Amino acid sequence: MVRIQAVKGLTAIPIRVEPRDSAATTGTIGGGVTAILIEIAAQLDRLADDGEPGAIDLRSLPMSSDDREQLLDALGPGEVTITLQGDGESTICETGVHGVWWSEFRDRGGALIAAFVEIARVPTILPVEPDELRRGAQSLRTGVGGAAPPRGS
Amino acid sequence: MDLVSFARGIGFEVALVVFCAGVVWRIVGFALLRFRRDFNEPRNSLVKAMIGGMVATGSRSWPHPEFIGRTGAGEVIGYSYHVGLFIVILLFAPHIVFLGSLLGVTWPALPSSVITIVSVITFTLLLAVLFRRITHRVLRLLSNFDDYFSWLITTLVIATGLMATAHIGGPYQTILGLHILSFDALLIWFPFGKLMHAFYIFPSRAVNGTLLSRKGAAS
Amino acid sequence: MADDRSEPTIGEILQTHGVSRRTFIKYCTAMASVLALPPLAGRAMAEQLLAAPRPSVIYLSFQECTGCLESLTRSFSPTIESLIFDIISLDYDDTLMAAAGAQAEAARDKAMKDNYGKYIVIVDGSVPTSDGGIYSCAAGRSAVDILSEAAKGAAAIVCVGTCSSFGGIPFADPNPTGAQPVSALITDKPIINVSGCPPIPEVIAGTLLQYVSTGTVPELDEHRRPKVFFGNTIHDRCYRRSFYDEGKFAKSFDDEGARNGWCLFELGCKGPTTYNACATIKWNGGTSFPIESGHGCLGCSEPGFWDKGSFYSPLSAPRWGKAGEASPRQVLEVAGAAVVAGAALGVASAGLSRRRQRQKEKLNADDETEEG
């Protein structure tokens, strides 16, 4: 995961990172990658218009590892890296395009079980549900030892 | 029992038996026929006549110059689709495997993409041949059930084969079953119709050539 | 706060087992990819499952080798396949459950009664019907009996493995026990066939997950197998397909062609007529599948695959009788007999023709002498 290391290294330097111009450095972008980039752009517009998040499953597309590298390069590195610990370590990285997140889910054995590009304001797996909030409050109160305050209706 | 198993199994066994018995029946049946009494004075010895017969077998492969104008197109189309059929039947890998399991020998195959191209061309030529037969005044007059049915059975085999490799027209197993079944039908029809020309042309040309040569006539 | 419902939801069960919502979403996203659904549909599936009560599942094993259950439970790395037992309430499985004897039977009867009309029946193994069904009995009751009783209150029946889907090994010629697939005996309930000998664990889990989360039977092919897994043949997705198209075949195991990874058609591969997901999802967590390991496909997810001739005879080879292939010698014998018969017919026909020819000649000669 060279990408994460680069982000870690670069965020240590107080400068703003410009997305790399992939066409200039590596030549032309493959047709398949261009199509995906156009799809991502369309989904970003949709997100801006009606708030609907989108996602593109990278494993369902006929992509070679070179294509994936090209896509990653075209999107560029972002500012945020999220590590999910839960039955294996998964990573979600923001790309150089705000709102476009590169997600790789892994299981306990470290095997890659899902890889997709998500178009959302915040990765949809992150926000906490109200019932979880209440459970948390409950467990905190029980842990602290105080009586549960009366709940409204 | 599903279609493929039937066509490959008992269907093929019956077809092969009918084919072998039928072809031999017809060849033996005509080989033992009497010749008409020849009252001509022989102009050539029997040996020379037989050589003439061999020559005729080859020379009749192409029409005399006077007739090329009228029959040339038909001859070219005919030869082309015959060559195409032989290429597809004998040089396509699954066919070689099939024949190999019957004969015990195999030979190298052509790439499947080449076979597909040849099959499409052959199928198109077969359609052209039918079109010619229907539109040509004389041919239409001369054509009977045998002509059309022999054409149909041959075209069915190649059409179902193309459909199977292209995976169109239905589930692969069904189309493959129909392909093998249509081949079985071809084998069964073979001894009873004009497809017997495959075995008859060379003997009949040789006999005609020999008889004519004996009389001293050109052929 | 305690729920008003008496039974916990799947989410609550997972919570108690230490599986967080996010972890569950992670696995459902992965399963969505396997099911060829978009990633956010996996999220939707996860949310649906988390809020749903655990469905009761009765797992019935009849004439089987237990390979199908082993396939599901012996998954390599812990993934959705192991979580499946958190998602469903496996109320009866005589191989896995701790209880035995009358207590186990009682647990099954209670589950069927409490969830009448809503429980899922999973069946592996075929059902023998000969001689009153005595060839598979448990607790003194025949498999036919147990199945028909369980099917009465079932919402759906999922047949795991080729034996319950199509009869499988016990069904093979001469089928001495009268083995039948479930679909031949139960005709009034929705049946999903997850065939394979055994089926791929992700396919079993994915089908169950899809049914549990949507409550409806997925799109099925003509053999009632989920099209999402059984829609393509192995041949259509085989990585060695280019060699088939180029005519490069391995002629024997471990020859030059085999070592170069060429097509196994001539070694009997049944890939072109077999529908399954082996070439895409593969086995053992995506490690490999039979063709990748150098052996042709057996066609194990197809009906009657045991009676379709040798596993090593190519698909294009003819087959004589029920199980044999035509050796060149056999062909020679049959064709030779046909030739002899044909020759005899030929001689007879020629004899008739010659007689007619002589008669005609005689007639012509008579005409001439009359004229001349």
Side-chain angles (χ1 to χ4, degrees), chain B residues 1-2 5 8-10 12-13 16-18 20-22 24-26 28-29 32-37 92-95 97-98 100-104 106 109-113 165 167 171-173 176 180, chain C residues 222 233 235-236 241 244-247 249 251 265-266 272-275 302 308 313-321 326-328 331 334-335 338-339 341-343 345-347 349-350 353-354 357-358 361:
Chain B
M1 189 185 249
D2 63 307
S5 297
R8 276 173 70 190
I10 190 74
F12 177 66
E13 196 171 357
L16 190 67
V17 165
V18 172
C20 290
V24 170
W25 162 55
R26 291 203 71 185
V28 169
L32 293 178
L33 288 174
R34 289 162 56 89
F35 282 105
R36 231 180 310 170
R37 284 272 298 278
F92 183 42
H95 294 169
V97 171
F98 166 70
S101 62
L102 293 178
L103 305 169
T106 56
L110 279 179
S112 305
S113 46
T165 36
H167 286 253
Y172 178 72
Q173 252 121 319
L176 183 68
I180 303 174
Chain C
E222 77 268 19
T233 60
H235 187 62
D236 286 338
R241 182 63 184 275
Y244 173 87
D245 290 332
E246 285 169 38
F249 299 102
K251 306 281 177 194
F265 184 86
E266 292 193 25
T273 49
T274 306
Y275 291 84
E302 295 298 308
K308 288 199 174 155
S313 159
L315 269 173
S316 51
R319 279 187 53 223
W320 311 92
S327 65
V331 175
V334 172
V339 162
L345 265 173
V347 168
S349 301
S353 302
R354 285 174 78 106
Q357 276 179 318
R358 248 187 285 267
E361 270 176 27

Side-chain angles (χ1 to χ4, degrees), chain C residues 130-151:
Chain C
S130 289
D131 301 328
I134 58 168
Y135 299 109
S136 173
C137 285
R141 293 176 66 197
S142 71
V144 186
D145 217 23
I146 298 172
L147 176 66
S148 43
E149 190 201 27

Side-chain angles (χ1 to χ4, degrees), chain B residues 116-198:
Chain B
T116 308
I117 295 171
V118 173
S119 310
V120 172
I121 295 174
T122 307
F123 179 71
T124 314
L125 289 171
L126 280 168
L127 289 175
V129 137
L130 180 72
F131 179 75
R132 183 162 185 270
R133 186 172 283 275
I134 291 175
T135 54
H136 194 291
R137 245 180 338 188
V138 177
L139 280 177
R140 197 171 54 228
L141 213 64
L142 296 173
S143 304
N144 58 11
F145 170 80
D146 196 342
D147 293 296
Y148 292 117
F149 190 68
S150 300
W151 176 91
L152 180 69
I153 279 253
T154 310
T155 310
L156 257 177
V157 181
I158 198 162
T160 48
L162 268 171
M163 282 166 66
T165 36
H167 286 253
I168 55 172
Y172 178 72
Q173 252 121 319
T174 311
I175 304 296
L176 183 68
L178 287 174
H179 176 63
I180 303 174
L181 204 62
S182 55
F183 173 64
D184 293 339
L186 178 82
L187 286 176
I188 292 176
W189 171 247
F190 201 104
F192 304 105
K194 293 197 178 180
L195 289 172
M196 274 301 288
H197 77 275

